[in-house]
Amino acid sequence: MGVMQPSAFEQILITTKVEKVMNWSRATSVWPVTFGLACCAIEMMAAGASRFDFDRFGAGIFRATPRQADLMIIAGTVTYKMAPVIKTLYDQMPEPKWVIAMGSCATAGGPFDSYHTIQGVDKIIPVDVFIPGCPPRPESLIYGFMKLQDKIMTSSLADRYKDIFEEVG
Amino acid sequence: MTEPIIPQAPEVPEAPAGPYVYDYAASPQRQVVMPKTVPLPSYRTYLAEVKAAAEADEAKWKKMQADYETAKAKAEADGKDAPKPPVRPVPRKDDNDLKTPWPQEAKDADLLLLQELLGAKVQEIFEQAGELTCQIEKGALHEALLLCRDREDLHYEMLADQSATHYPAASDFAYSVVYHLTSISRRKRLRLRILVPEGFVPESACSVYPSANWMEREIFDMLGIAFANHPDMTRILCPDDWEGHALRKDYPVVGWGQRDIAFREDRGGMIERIALQKAGQLGINLKQPKAD
């Protein structure tokens, strides 16, 4: 005796924070844009196909429009001609939105230290996760995506707009 | 009275000399090395090179003989033994089977026919590795293309490729523009070539071969050769506001400085608007009242 038995009410009820539920729902249903730039896109397709099955993490629904997507995987070399297009697509995505820079080209220009390549996509849009590799294997992409899930789970609304809160006052 | 204290100048730290310090100024991709030769394939140039090499060899042999004669006369005068007579060096036997095929005299009927039809407008015809090349005067290009397309015994239906090369070391021209014609019915290929100086505007081949449209735009984009009477003479690969032409030899690999793209800032004020909206929903007033 002396041990408190949970009541029937407590057995059917889970208490949590609204923010945690929101983050959980966001992290487990991240829909990427159908958007590939170069050879990294092939690895991205492999990650989405049955062998690696990106859909286990809720990210297998590649949307054909940025307006229905949460995640943009920059898979490939970003040229100066493509940069305004990427920026437009990013602007068209609804908040909250995340970006993964996949491969060495998207993270730092890769081997193309040249006149036509942007040395890292973070010069035009904010990037959440950088994945090294040339190209990264699907396992790397999945690991990077799990890192993004961790980031989403630990994020809060105040963190996301922290810079602007401080700037505005 | 004491000596005034002069402060010591701070020591300038030397640049770290580690293996991971990248010297951007000395990077080979930022250097421009202008070529000193004109590697334009040509039978006439090849003949001239062969002749010059033979003459140099002969002059060297003559000099060796003359040196031997003077040494012999000097030895005789001094009463010493005569020196060894020189041996003419034999060219080393070359067993390498990966040779560059040299240009050869044109024997193909198409080339000879073109030369007969165009006369003095044909500057040079030759064959190299079984490929036919006909260099024509830059003004007679349209005539040659029409001949190649329409004549029954030539009948090159397709312009398979068109490209250009920059030769900054050449004195009388700057670019070569090359037209690769293919005859599907006769299973033959022909290369027409014109040499154009800087600033020359060649006639577009679009009216004869419509496939020249994008290829001429690419040549314009990469080398800056504008074509006359082209339907849309704009850049095709680089952005429209690009400076310079990337395949010219005086263009560095990284371009004229990496361009800064400033897209990161909140141009439309969208992020700030959303932040204010979200904060308002949470009951926070982010807009500070003004001091006045």
Side-chain angles (χ1 to χ4, degrees):
Chain A
M1 289 298 129
V3 178
M4 288 279 285
Q5 293 290 332
S7 66
F9 189 60
E10 281 168 340
Q11 273 178 345
I12 60 166
L13 197 72
I14 304 166
T15 55
T16 179
K17 290 192 288 184
V18 175
E19 191 176 81
K20 197 171 177 184
V21 174
M22 280 174 68
N23 283 343
W24 172 76
S25 68
R26 280 173 178 172
T28 47
S29 66
V30 179
W31 291 356
V33 202
T34 313
F35 182 59
L37 288 172
C39 35
C40 281
I42 304 294
E43 298 294 312
M44 188 174 73
M45 289 175 221
S50 56
R51 180 176 173 130
F52 294 97
D53 199 9
F54 218 22
D55 220 356
R56 289 176 293 162
F57 307 92
I61 306 173
F62 284 87
R63 303 304 298 182
T65 164
R67 296 187 193 281
Q68 299 169 352
D70 313 301
L71 170 66
M72 195 170 178
I73 302 176
I74 310 289
T77 319
V78 184
T79 57
Y80 280 103
K81 200 165 186 182
M82 199 65 196
V85 183
I86 292 176
K87 180 64 181 169
T88 309
L89 286 175
Y90 179 78
D91 285 346
Q92 285 174 346
M93 285 163 63
E95 291 275 351
K97 52 191 172 185
W98 296 278
V99 175
I100 288 179
M102 179 185 180
S104 55
C105 294
T107 54
F112 307 107
D113 186 9
S114 177
Y115 65 95
H116 51 75
T117 308
I118 290 180
Q119 306 296 305
V121 75
D122 58 324
K123 292 199 173 181
I124 51 170
I125 53 175
V127 177
D128 294 289
V129 178
F130 293 92
I131 305 174
C134 189
R137 284 188 55 84
E139 293 97 321
S140 309
L141 179 60
I142 288 169
Y143 182 69
F145 179 72
M146 287 163 74
K147 284 283 166 198
L148 180 69
Q149 280 185 322
D150 291 350
K151 182 173 178 175
I152 297 171
M153 283 304 289
T154 53
S155 69
S156 75
L157 206 62
D159 285 346
R160 190 156 179 86
Y161 300 111
K162 194 178 156 199
D163 296 344
I164 298 153
F165 286 164
E166 285 171 355
E167 197 176 290
V168 177
Chain B
M1 185 134 184
T2 55
E3 292 271 318
I5 299 163
I6 301 163
Q8 290 268 324
E11 284 187 9
V12 179
E14 286 187 2
Y20 303 111
V21 177
Y22 192 68
D23 188 3
Y24 279 97
S27 163
Q29 283 170 311
R30 283 167 173 74
Q31 313 295 319
V32 176
V33 181
M34 295 295 277
K36 295 185 176 64
T37 56
V38 186
L40 183 74
S42 161
Y43 183 50
R44 203 181 298 143
T45 322
Y46 170 67
L47 285 186
E49 278 173 11
V50 168
K51 199 180 162 196
E55 278 173 3
D57 192 48
E58 190 64 32
K60 199 178 167 190
W61 171 240
K62 287 264 170 60
K63 189 171 179 299
M64 280 168 79
Q65 278 182 328
D67 288 351
Y68 169 66
E69 291 299 331
T70 51
K72 199 172 150 190
K74 200 182 171 200
E76 273 180 11
D78 293 351
K80 287 180 190 165
D81 292 342
K84 266 200 267 181
V87 182
R88 183 159 190 169
V90 181
R92 190 176 289 176
K93 196 180 173 191
D94 191 6
D95 287 339
N96 185 9
D97 54 350
L98 292 172
K99 287 194 190 71
T100 310
W102 303 115
Q104 290 168 346
E105 198 184 340
K107 295 194 182 79
D108 192 85
D110 288 9
L111 289 177
L112 296 174
L113 179 66
L114 268 178
Q115 195 176 34
E116 188 192 329
L117 290 169
L118 291 168
K121 289 170 189 166
V122 172
Q123 292 174 342
E124 191 180 1
I125 48 171
F126 64 94
E127 294 178 24
Q128 188 172 11
E131 298 174 359
L132 319 177
T133 306
C134 175
Q135 181 181 317
I136 48 182
E137 214 172 82
K138 54 184 182 288
L141 172 75
H142 241 246
E143 197 183 338
L145 285 175
L146 280 171
L147 272 180
C148 290
R149 190 191 67 176
D150 293 339
R151 267 189 76 100
E152 278 302 311
D153 45 357
L154 290 169
H155 211 66
Y156 287 93
E157 300 107 334
M158 191 168 92
L159 178 66
D161 195 9
Q162 183 181 355
S163 63
T165 318
H166 188 200
Y167 296 104
S171 56
D172 49 346
F173 64 95
Y175 305 99
S176 75
V177 185
V178 178
Y179 299 77
H180 295 268
L181 305 179
T182 303
S183 172
I184 295 164
S185 55
R186 299 176 60 227
R187 298 184 187 175
K188 286 193 91 167
R189 287 170 192 274
L190 174 70
R191 184 186 296 128
L192 290 182
R193 183 169 79 191
I194 55 171
L195 305 180
V196 298
E198 183 79 56
F200 182 78
V201 181
E203 188 70 15
S204 168
C206 284
S207 56
V208 188
Y209 293 105
S211 67
N213 190 329
W214 282 18
M215 298 191 273
E216 281 176 358
R217 282 179 66 188
E218 188 183 344
I219 291 171
F220 170 69
D221 193 354
M222 291 286 120
L223 287 149
I225 305 172
F227 289 86
N229 301 327
H230 189 278
D232 180 23
M233 195 80 260
T234 51
R235 287 182 180 273
I236 189 169
L237 297 174
C238 292
D240 288 335
D241 57 344
W242 197 259
E243 291 166 15
H245 300 282
L247 277 188
R248 290 189 181 186
K249 302 288 185 204
D250 51 4
Y251 195 88
V253 174
V254 291
W256 297 115
Q258 301 259 354
R259 307 194 314 166
D260 286 330
I261 284 202
F263 288 153
R264 278 294 293 274
E265 79 270 25
D266 186 18
R267 281 188 298 180
M270 190 181 69
I271 298 175
E272 187 183 342
R273 199 178 67 241
I274 292 171
L276 292 173
Q277 194 182 347
K278 298 272 182 188
Q281 286 166 2
L282 295 170
I284 308 163
N285 186 15
L286 286 175
K287 284 192 174 173
Q288 296 283 334
K290 288 275 168 50
D292 55 11

